[in-house]
Structure formats: structure tokens, C-alpha cells
């Protein structure tokens, strides 16, 4: 039987001709990631075990994005621990707050050209699956795995089975990658792809921008997937060519699924049937199309995160908010995903649009996405958020409610005061 994209990458990085779902393989790692929450425990393990030096100073990124700029003394100490380790180990990609190229980890790794097709990437963060958008095998691990892998440069994987997600048709107005992935999770459930690879394919792929693909792969973990992965096309090459050092002109010729690759399931999605989606509390699978439910009054809107904090997202939000003000009593927080996104939004006049409409514009940070800072919810409050999780207490009090949506629905809801679409404005 032939191999899926994920099998091809894993077998190659394990130095094997082939591999099958269920095989245990040890793969060479092309890139590793840690943040200010997960790296300090990894450093602890690294040092306790006397690992000494990291395997490659140029293949590790450490990003203080969760509680940074530091929200309290504890987070300041965590960031300091990571900063000191990066310095002592001479780690090339330690991103300091405010520095060019800095931002939320899953926005900046692809944007800085640090992940490429065929790479194997691990990160001590569950949304490391984002980089499947550029044809990499990327997945989240725990701090112990990060510690050992920083020393060894390899790690073990059980080769996942794959679900083929066949995309067809054209995506409709006010719909984007967020609506596609919410639709898929609504269809298969939060455990619908447990430890499986989501392999996207079909003519509909070319309809999706790289920003859409990054959003879709970012949320692969929300249906339990080990990874999500897109095939390489002209859009991928164009995206990488302007980011990877030295340019990027050609995709690896081995990186495509075999015609007889085995899939445990095939899910077909007609993009033209998808409407702007909202995931109600408290699961990303609790999806409803906008316009199919009664008015739900909200207190706050958050636009940003590793899911929807890219410049394309800022542009879409600004297009909805331009010349409008947010509803009375509403709080709207916009978090550009990186310094580069912030600067680009500034130069395009988008930040002025946000401020004029009554939004708070934050420095790039995870902030409210994990109930950290910059917009934590009080008891009973309701928030529409472009982030990726709406579990109980995710963004604040355990009796607050998070409704996940795309950028245009979030922006429109900030103006309307209830969950709605731009068509209602
Ligand atoms: Fe995690 Fe949210 Fe930060 Fe993304 S923005 S890395 S989901 S905390």
C-alpha cells in the first residue's frame, strides 16, 4: 500500500524506505519550539539530567508569548528562566518582546520562514500542528519530550492513521479557514480525528489562502488530530519564497500522497455549502451557522491569536469596523499576532480604524486566549473570540462563555452587540 504525506515525511526522517500506521519510529527533528509556560519545566528536566548542550543552536525557537509582556512576578521569573537558558545555550531563535519577527509563536515560525515542506517539527504547545499548512509534519509535545529532544535532536512517534479531507467548491462570502475548520470539527466531533493525521486534498485547496490553511491546521488538534497537513502548491511556494532565507523555489518532489495511500476515513467538504460558523460554549464542535440561532448578547470581542492574528485577519476586521463604532457597553480587543503584523497594520491605517471604532489594540501576545491577561472574562460574561478554544474557564471565570468565530463575524458582533454577521450591518 502507498503512503500518505505524513508517512512519507516520517519514514524519510527515520531513515526508512517506508512506514505504516502504528509503527514506532525515531525521527530526526528539523525544528523545536517552546514558550514561556512550557520551556521552564523543560529546562528543569534538561539540567537535572545533565544534558549539557542543546543538539543544534539554530533549530530551536523559544518564544515568550503567553504571559508576556509579563503580567506578574511569576511570569517575569518564567520568562527570565527561558531568556537566561537561551543566552547560556546561544540559541539563535530566542525572540524577545518587541523584537522584529517576534509575536505569538505559531504566527511567527512560518512567517520567519523557519518551517518548510517535509520538515518534522515539534513544539511544547498543542497548536504546533499549525505548520502543516506549509507541508510540514508538526505536532505538540510535553515539556519532558521538549527537554529530551533539545538534547538528542530526535524523538519517537507512533505513525498516525490518516483521514483524507477532500475539499471541493468555492468558499462563500464572509467565510474563511476558520469556518472550514469549525464546520469540519462540528461534523466529526472533538475526538473525531484522535491521534490521526488530517490530510487535506482536492480542488478546493487552491481556493484557500495560506492564512486560511494556517488557521485550519492550527485547529486540527481541536478534533484530536496528531497533525493536519496541506499539499504544496503555487501559493505555498510563493509564501515560502518571500520568507525562507535564501528563497524557496521548488517543493520536494517526493512530498505528495501516493494514489493508493490508505486512509481510515474520507470526509468530503463542499466549501460552497459552508456559512459563517460559531462554536458555542463549551466545545469547538458545538457549531452553528450564523443566522440559525436567536440573538445572543455579548460583553466582549477578541480578535487575534495564533488562529486569526495574521495581517489578512486584521484587514478583514478593519473592513468591517471602518466607519463604525462598537456597541455601547462592548469591549473589543484586537491583538495583532506579531510585531510585523502590528507594523503592517499600522502602515495600512488599520490600527487607526480599530481605535476609532472603540477597540483596544494590544501588543502581540496570547493574553486573553488562555485567560492570561489583556481581557480576562468575569463571571457570567460572554465573549466572541477568534481564538481556538472555548472550554469551561478558558478565557476567565468558569461561568463565563466563549463563542468561537471567524474575524468578520467577531468584528460585526462587536458593532451589533450580539452575535451576528457583517450582512446585518
Ligand atoms: Fe495557545 Fe492561544 Fe497562544 Fe495560540 S494564542 S499559542 S492557542 S495561548
Amino acid at each position: 500500500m502507498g503512503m500518505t504525506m505524513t508517512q512519507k515525511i516520517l519514514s524519510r526522517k527515520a531513515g526508512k524506505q517506508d512506514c505504516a500506521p502504528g509503527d514506532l519510529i525515531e525521527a530526526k527533528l528539523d525544528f523545536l519550539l517552546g514558550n514561556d509556560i512550557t520551556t521552564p519545566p523543560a529546562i528543569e528536566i534538561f539540567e537535572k539530567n545533565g544534558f549539557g548542550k542543546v543538539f543544534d543552536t539554530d533549530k530551536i525557537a523559544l518564544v515568550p508569548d503567553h504571559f508576556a509582556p509579563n503580567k506578574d512576578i511569576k511570569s517575569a521569573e518564567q520568562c527570565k528562566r527561558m531568556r537566561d537558558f537561551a543566552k547560556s545555550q546561544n540559541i539563535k531563535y530566542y525572540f524577545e518582546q518587541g523584537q522584529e519577527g517576534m509575536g505569538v509563536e505559531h504566527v511567527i515560525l512560518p512567517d520567519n520562514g523557519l518551517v518548510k515542506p517535509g520538515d518534522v517539527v515539534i513544539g511544547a504547545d498543542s497548536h504546533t500542528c499549525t505548520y502543516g499548512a506549509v507541508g510540514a509534519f508538526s505536532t505538540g509535545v510535553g515539556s519532558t519530550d521538549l527537554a529530551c529532544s533539545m538534547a538528542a535532536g530526535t524523538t519517537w512517534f507512533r505513525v498516525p492513521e490518516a483521514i483524507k479531507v477532500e475539499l471541493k467548491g468555492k468558499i462563500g462570502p464572509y467565510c474563511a479557514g476558520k469556518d472550514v475548520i469549525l464546520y469540519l470539527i462540528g461534523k466529526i466531533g472533538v475526538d473525531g480525528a484522535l491521534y490521526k493525521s488530517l490530510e487535506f486534498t482536492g480542488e478546493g485547496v487552491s481556493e484557500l489562502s495560506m492564512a486560511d490553511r494556517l488557521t485550519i491546521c492550527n485547529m486540527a488538534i481541536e478534533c484530536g488530530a496528531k497533525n493536519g497537513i496541506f499539499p504544496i502548491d503555487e501559493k505555498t511556494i510563493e509564501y515560502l519564497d518571500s520568507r525562507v532565507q535564501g528563497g524557496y523555489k521548488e517543493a520536494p518532489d517526493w512530498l505528495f500522497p501516493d494514489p493508493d495511500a490508505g486512509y481510515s476515513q474520507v470526509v468530503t467538504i463542499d466549501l460552497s455549502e459552508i456559512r459563517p460558523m460559531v462554536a458555542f460554549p463549551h466545545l469547538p464542535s458545538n457549531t452553528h451557522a450564523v443566522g440559525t440561532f436567536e440573538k445572543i448578547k455579548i460583553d466582549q470581542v477578541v480578535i487575534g491569536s495564533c488562529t486569526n492574528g495574521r495581517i489578512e485577519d486584521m484587514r478583514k476586521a478593519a473592513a468591517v469596523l471602518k466607519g463604525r463604532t462598537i456597541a455601547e457597553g462592548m469591549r473589543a480587543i484586537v491583538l495583532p499576532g506579531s510585531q510585523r503584523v502590528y507594523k503592517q497594520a499600522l502602515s495600512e491605517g488599520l490600527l487607526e480604524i480599530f481605535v476609532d471604532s472603540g477597540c483596544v489594540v494590544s501588543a502581540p501576545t496570547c493574553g486573553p486566549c488562555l485567560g492570561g491577561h489583556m481581557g480576562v472574562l468575569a463571571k457570567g460574561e460572554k465573549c466572541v473570540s477568534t481564538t481556538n478554544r472555548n472550554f469551561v474557564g478558558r478565557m476567565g471565570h468558569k461561568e463565563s462563555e466563549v463563542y468561537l468565530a471567524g474575524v468578520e463575524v467577531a468584528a460585526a458582533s462587536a458593532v451589533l452587540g450580539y452575535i451576528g454577521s457583517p450582512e446585518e450591518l
Side-chain angles (χ1 to χ4, degrees):
M1 182 168 291
M3 292 195 286
T4 63
M5 283 179 79
T6 292
Q7 281 171 256
K8 289 207 169 175
I9 296 171
L10 290 179
S11 56
R12 202 171 178 98
K13 296 294 173 174
K16 290 165 157 287
Q17 286 290 328
D18 52 38
C19 65
D23 287 357
L24 283 175
I25 54 117
E26 186 181 11
K28 279 192 181 157
L29 299 171
D30 293 289
F31 213 79
L32 289 76
L33 163 73
N35 59 46
D36 50 313
I37 295 182
T38 58
T39 309
I43 296 169
E44 196 80 18
I45 295 161
F46 190 93
E47 292 180 345
K48 259 193 190 151
N49 284 281
F51 288 154
K53 286 282 170 197
V54 299
F55 82 105
D56 191 330
T57 56
D58 295 359
K59 291 188 173 177
I60 299 171
L62 299 180
V63 188
D65 56 357
H66 279 59
F67 292 143
N70 305 139
K71 79 180 181 84
D72 54 18
I73 294 168
K74 191 176 172 207
S75 60
E77 295 293 343
Q78 278 180 296
C79 286
K80 185 172 185 304
R81 180 90 163 112
M82 187 164 80
R83 185 181 300 118
D84 291 348
F85 179 78
K87 201 170 173 192
S88 69
Q89 291 280 343
N90 203 23
I91 286 173
K92 184 173 176 185
Y93 297 108
Y94 169 72
F95 290 94
E96 192 54 272
Q97 298 145 47
Q99 178 192 323
E100 160 82 20
M102 172 51 173
V104 178
E105 54 206 46
H106 309 309
V107 174
I108 64 170
L109 259 63
D111 197 42
N112 285 306
L114 297 176
V115 282
K116 298 183 292 304
D119 280 357
V120 173
V121 184
I122 61 162
D125 188 277
S126 51
H127 295 99
T128 303
C129 49
T130 307
Y131 322 131
V134 298
F137 170 81
S138 66
T139 195
V141 298
S143 293
T144 307
D145 285 322
L146 176 63
C148 299
S149 304
M150 282 198 298
T154 63
T155 198
W156 288 89
F157 295 105
R158 177 162 61 81
V159 178
E161 288 187 301
I163 296 177
K164 186 195 245 188
V165 184
E166 186 105 43
L167 303 174
K168 62 178 192 178
K170 287 190 185 305
I171 199 155
Y174 304 122
C175 282
K178 184 61 155 289
D179 306 288
V180 176
I181 189 66
L182 288 178
Y183 181 84
L184 174 63
I185 298 169
K187 210 172 159 86
I188 66 175
V190 286
D191 56 358
L194 211 55
Y195 205 91
K196 290 184 180 173
S197 174
L198 282 179
E199 195 160 299
F200 295 90
T201 183
E203 71 199 33
V205 167
S206 62
E207 281 294 304
L208 300 172
S209 67
M210 288 309 293
D212 289 330
R213 299 178 200 183
L214 287 157
T215 301
I216 290 170
C217 285
N218 175 271
M219 289 190 69
I221 183 64
E222 304 311 330
C223 51
K226 184 72 176 167
N227 70 314
I229 192 162
F230 272 86
I232 314 305
D233 63 8
E234 284 167 12
K235 284 185 184 171
T236 328
I237 304 285
E238 191 188 335
Y239 176 89
L240 292 168
D241 197 28
S242 58
R243 290 168 171 85
V244 172
Q245 207 180 1
Y248 193 91
K249 301 290 180 208
E250 275 179 51
D253 56 7
W254 52 269
L255 188 52
F256 48 85
D258 288 325
D260 59 342
Y263 296 93
S264 63
Q265 190 184 346
V266 178
V267 179
T268 302
I269 293 181
D270 184 346
L271 298 171
S272 66
E273 285 181 2
I274 299 178
R275 298 287 166 266
M277 304 297 293
V278 178
F280 281 27
H282 294 284
L283 286 175
S285 58
N286 192 6
T287 50
H288 302 261
V290 173
T292 62
F293 48 86
E294 297 295 310
K295 279 183 186 171
I296 299 169
K297 204 176 161 316
I298 50 168
D299 305 285
Q300 181 170 295
V301 164
V302 168
I303 297 172
S305 84
C306 61
T307 318
N308 282 116
R310 297 179 184 83
I311 189 63
E312 292 85 349
D313 299 308
M314 298 297 117
R315 288 178 185 141
K316 283 182 179 175
V320 174
L321 290 166
K322 191 171 184 180
R324 299 187 167 106
T325 48
I326 63 170
E328 208 181 319
M330 174 69 59
R331 302 166 330 249
I333 302 154
V334 182
L335 303 104
S338 69
Q339 287 291 102
R340 207 167 281 148
V341 173
Y342 193 106
K343 198 172 164 189
Q344 184 65 28
L346 185 67
S347 73
E348 292 182 23
L350 311 183
L351 301 190
E352 196 174 351
I353 292 170
F354 297 142
V355 173
D356 285 348
S357 67
C359 298
V360 172
V361 179
S362 161
T365 177
C366 296
C369 170
L370 72 162
H373 58 138
M374 283 301 301
V376 176
L377 297 172
K379 182 177 177 177
E381 288 190 327
K382 292 182 169 63
C383 176
V384 172
S385 180
T386 68
T387 54
N388 48 34
R389 284 188 172 154
N390 57 354
F391 308 149
V392 173
R394 170 72 179 182
M395 293 181 70
H397 196 280
K398 63 180 178 357
E399 288 178 40
S400 60
E401 293 184 354
V402 179
Y403 294 78
L404 303 175
V407 167
E408 286 160 313
V409 166
S413 302
V415 176
L416 294 165
Y418 59 86
I419 304 173
S421 94
E423 281 164 338
E424 297 174 56
L425 294 172

